[in-house]
Amino acid sequence: MNVQTEPKRSKEELIEKLTQPDLITGSEILLRSLLLEGVDCVFGYPGGAVLYIYDAMHGFDDFNHLLTRHEQGAIHAADGYARSTGKVGVCIATSGPGATNLVTGIATAYMDSVPLVVITGNVATNFIGTDAFQEADITGITMPITKHSYLVRDVNDLPRIIHEAFHIANSGRKGPVLIDIPKDVSAHKTIFKPVTDVSIRGYNPTVQPNKLQVDKLIKAIEEAERPVIIAGGGVVYSDASKELIEFVNKTRIPVATTLLGLSGFPSAHELWLGMPGMHGTYTANTAIQNADLLISIGSRFDDRVTMNLNGFAPKVKVIAHIDVDPAEIGKNVKTDIPCVGDVKAVLAYANTKARPAKNEAWIAELQDNKVKFPLKYGDTETELKPQFVVEMISETTNGEAIITTDVGQHQMWAAQFYRFKNPRSLVTSGGLGTMGFGFPSAIGAQMGNPDKLVVSINGDGGVQMCAQELAICAINNIPVKVVIINNQVLGMVRQWQEIIYENRYSHIDLAGSPDFVKLAEAYGVKGLRATTKEEARRAWQEALDTPGPVVIDFVVPKGENVFPMVKAGDTISDMLMGDSE
Amino acid sequence: MTTTKHTVSVLVNNQPGVLQRVSGLFGRRGFNIESITVGESEELGLSRMVIVTTGDDNTLEQISKQLYKLIDVIKVVDLSANPMVARELALIKVNAEPIMRPEILGIVETFRAAVVDIGPASIIVQVVGDSDKIDAMVELLRPYGIRELSRTGATAMIRGSVR
């Protein structure tokens, strides 16, 4: 595969070349600046307003540019790259429709705090505001879903703006930053003066915690009898996994990990309770409902975790909240001990003081629940169950793969049945719940992790929202294993219609879907199908043995539901247990 | 928790779109805007917005925290937490046939307002003060027939040297 480009010259040579004060165009300034930011891969799609930028890219091979088949594919790929590497994901699109095609991906990244720098072209500055061809006010459109945005009016501002954008995207609470570059700005020439320092008045995220607050937390732990941690995406984003494990080992507090927090804490740890919330485990939800001390670490009390807030954690005496974004403290849930700061820094300090909680009876009770109420499903020898497919992938990859998922039932089964070991090994759209995310995000994850196995788990609905990106897997030999859990329906919608809308199945039948094996082959990608457990094992092994990309269509029954389930409006005590009831 | 009126001062970078960022945030998050005024501040390149809003203490805390998340927001102060001066300006064009003018001028004088234009059958009254004073003035002039009314919304400052 040609995912990783060997450096063409040493880093010193490159920097020496790039930092020359040459008279160059805005487009060349952009490319040089991206290289100086350490960018090795961008995803994009050219068009009229970015032609100068793409012209500057002609013959330019200091970083990879992947031409996706849709701008949505580009931004989800950049997102997958960012989530799986911790680096800033970069994508480029043209003005108007190119830019608006990015909106779903920008919102996805914003909801999940993913660092992206999104570069869009715009019409020339003298055309802005005239309803010119392919003009859209993309900074205005994306204002609610970006951490910050820039409309560049002067080429001389470009080096500063690009440097600021990378800084803002990947510091504090991370998020997408948009840079809109009018066509004439990308064409104008100026002397390139690289910017290496950053000073943004009013932007100074709190990294180090207030020690008094953390001391209060330590004291609360000493006094608690039934403490529980809810660990979220912030643990993963601040690379605080090791610190969290140390904190748990020292305090002996059980941990529930949210969807985005799943890879931040090893599933094999004895104090792991599973995922809380709507499709959370009995043990995690019961633990939260009976806890007297709740410690949220890099998690924002999302409604899919808390469900009905009126019945959430009714026995809690103290809620502590560790978050880098002060606006999250007290937003949904009243907090007694706010710890604003980078999760890694807060836990590192807490670990210097942490002592075991007096909660052995509590741990025993939860361990008992784990044994009595495990996640299970009605497995049979005759049918291929979706949960079996996920378990098979989990076992054969030994939890070492990077898993990306789309959104729906398969996402929840992946969350429930894959045993995660390493941080950043789950790439999934949590906050926005974006169908179409799973497959292109895997392409980005593979570009950022050329040596790792990347498995993209999709439903037959979502995979059709960005299936065109099979082309870039084929021509670039990006060896993503594309798993389709094919139940021929919109599964999660079907489940809700069954349970909440009294079996009134309305517009969920995906009849007319393509033959996914032939679809893969049409793009030049190997396609495999399995309808039984035996076939599934064989097809999966063949996929693993194949060096390039593979699509595996696992045909499963359409009636399978995700359990446990908490219905919207209910509290997390009201779990429907399904087959395990 | 009780809902009360708050006057919030927001110091921002004077960038294009900054008003949209701030007002958009209020709309998106369901915060109320009773009035918003923007103008230059004491420092070149920075503008000051004064926003009058209603909400309980939690809402006010969220307003402040969410505003601070905007990169262009430099400082947020709840002015109404301190003794403050708030002023609003209104221009009121009121029917004023010559025969009625002495009566209207009497009201204007009492309120220490000013007549800034006189037409054949109307005058424009300029009044500066807190919202209540302007409300009162408007009510007194209403019987004469208000043709046009334009109010600025409040701008405000903390008294003395409290920061």
Side-chain angles (χ1 to χ4, degrees), chain A residues 110 137 139-141 143-150 153 168 173 200-203 325-332, chain B residues 11 13 15-18 20-22 24 28-29 43-44 46 58 61-62 65-66 68-75:
Chain A
Y110 182 72
D137 171 19
T139 49
I141 290 169
M143 219 167 251
I145 50 169
T146 49
K147 185 170 173 186
H148 193 52
S149 53
Y150 295 92
R153 291 181 183 273
I168 291 170
R173 181 175 185 168
I200 308 167
R201 192 167 164 189
Y203 179 70
D325 179 0
E328 285 304 335
I329 312 271
K331 188 184 79 178
N332 297 335
Chain B
L11 192 65
N13 275 322
Q15 295 287 334
V18 67
Q20 190 186 351
R21 285 183 202 280
V22 170
R28 193 160 70 242
R29 301 237 175 223
E43 197 176 324
L44 197 68
L46 303 187
N58 277 350
E61 190 182 327
Q62 269 298 310
K65 284 175 168 177
Q66 295 292 345
Y68 270 124
K69 285 177 71 168
L70 299 179
I71 307 294
D72 282 330
V73 167
I74 290 164
K75 195 165 174 58

Side-chain angles (χ1 to χ4, degrees), chain A residues 193-477:
Chain A
K193 294 185 208 125
V195 172
T196 50
D197 56 339
V198 62
S199 160
I200 308 167
R201 192 167 164 189
Y203 179 70
N204 193 15
T206 305
V207 173
Q208 294 300 331
N210 178 328
K211 290 184 175 174
L212 293 177
Q213 294 290 1
V214 185
D215 292 344
K216 268 193 205 167
L217 169 62
I218 298 295
K219 190 156 180 289
I221 292 170
E222 285 165 7
E223 290 166 3
E225 290 172 359
R226 301 183 310 279
V228 173
I229 292 169
I230 299 178
V235 173
V236 178
Y237 298 148
S238 78
D239 293 319
S241 201
K242 272 189 192 148
E243 286 77 7
L244 176 61
I245 295 168
E246 186 185 340
F247 184 68
V248 170
N249 288 340
K250 281 187 169 162
T251 58
R252 305 281 301 154
I253 303 178
V255 184
T257 43
T258 70
L259 180 63
L260 291 185
L262 274 174
S263 69
F265 193 78
S267 310
H269 197 286
E270 54 159 343
L271 291 174
W272 184 62
L273 305 174
M275 184 171 74
M278 179 176 264
H279 294 295
T281 61
Y282 177 89
T283 311
N285 282 348
T286 311
I288 290 168
Q289 293 303 75
N290 290 304
D292 62 353
L293 168 65
L294 202 54
I295 308 169
S296 168
I297 305 182
S299 176
R300 59 188 172 89
F301 293 107
D302 177 71
D303 58 281
R304 278 294 190 272
V305 170
T306 63
M307 302 307 291
N308 190 336
L309 276 171
N310 287 329
F312 177 70
K315 297 177 186 168
V316 79
K317 290 179 190 153
V318 177
I319 293 185
H321 193 163
I322 300 172
D323 206 303
V324 73
D325 179 0
E328 285 304 335
I329 312 271
K331 188 184 79 178
N332 297 335
V333 170
K334 192 176 170 297
T335 303
D336 305 289
I337 306 174
C339 300
V340 176
D342 177 63
V343 169
K344 193 182 180 81
V346 177
L347 288 179
Y349 174 70
N351 282 337
T352 62
K353 303 227 167 166
R355 283 198 297 271
K358 296 182 218 54
N359 62 344
E360 285 311 313
W362 171 237
I363 291 175
E365 183 186 329
L366 297 178
Q367 299 289 17
D368 196 38
N369 278 347
K370 269 173 91 170
V371 175
K372 277 189 192 153
F373 304 98
L375 288 168
K376 56 182 181 182
Y377 61 97
D379 196 16
T380 68
E381 271 313 303
T382 50
E383 281 186 312
L384 177 59
K385 288 291 181 81
Q387 299 93 329
F388 170 83
V389 175
V390 174
E391 281 184 330
M392 177 182 74
I393 296 169
S394 182
E395 281 162 22
T396 49
T397 60
N398 198 22
E400 300 283 357
I402 293 177
I403 302 294
T404 82
T405 85
D406 211 76
V407 169
Q409 286 185 315
H410 69 276
Q411 179 188 33
M412 291 298 108
W413 286 317
Q416 290 178 336
F417 290 95
Y418 194 89
R419 318 312 283 169
F420 293 95
K421 266 188 185 170
N422 306 314
R424 300 191 183 279
S425 63
L426 174 62
V427 172
T428 191
S429 164
L432 198 68
T434 307
M435 283 178 74
F437 174 84
F439 169 43
S441 67
I443 294 169
Q446 187 77 79
M447 292 301 287
N449 299 272
D451 300 327
K452 289 193 180 156
L453 173 65
V454 177
V455 180
S456 175
I457 303 180
N458 303 268
D460 46 327
V463 78
Q464 293 188 59
M465 289 193 177
C466 279
Q468 72 283 350
E469 305 307 340
L470 281 169
I472 62 170
C473 285
I475 57 160
N476 298 292
N477 196 27

Side-chain angles (χ1 to χ4, degrees), chain B residues 14-93:
Chain B
N14 192 5
Q15 295 287 334
V18 67
L19 177 61
Q20 190 186 351
R21 285 183 202 280
V22 170
S23 58
L25 185 149
F26 272 71
R28 193 160 70 242
R29 301 237 175 223
F31 304 141
N32 170 268
I33 296 183
E34 210 157 277
S35 79
I36 183 165
T37 62
V38 195
E40 287 180 0
S41 73
E42 66 279 4
E43 197 176 324
L44 197 68
L46 303 187
S47 293
R48 178 167 277 110
M49 297 183 183
V50 174
I51 302 169
V52 180
T53 181
T54 47
D56 59 25
D57 290 351
N58 277 350
T59 309
L60 194 77
E61 190 182 327
Q62 269 298 310
I63 288 175
S64 165
K65 284 175 168 177
Q66 295 292 345
L67 280 171
Y68 270 124
K69 285 177 71 168
L70 299 179
I71 307 294
D72 282 330
V73 167
I74 290 164
K75 195 165 174 58
V76 182
V77 181
D78 176 15
L79 299 176
S80 38
N82 298 288
M84 65 159 192
V85 180
R87 289 291 180 270
E88 191 177 328
L89 182 145
L91 294 175
I92 309 162
K93 189 183 280 180

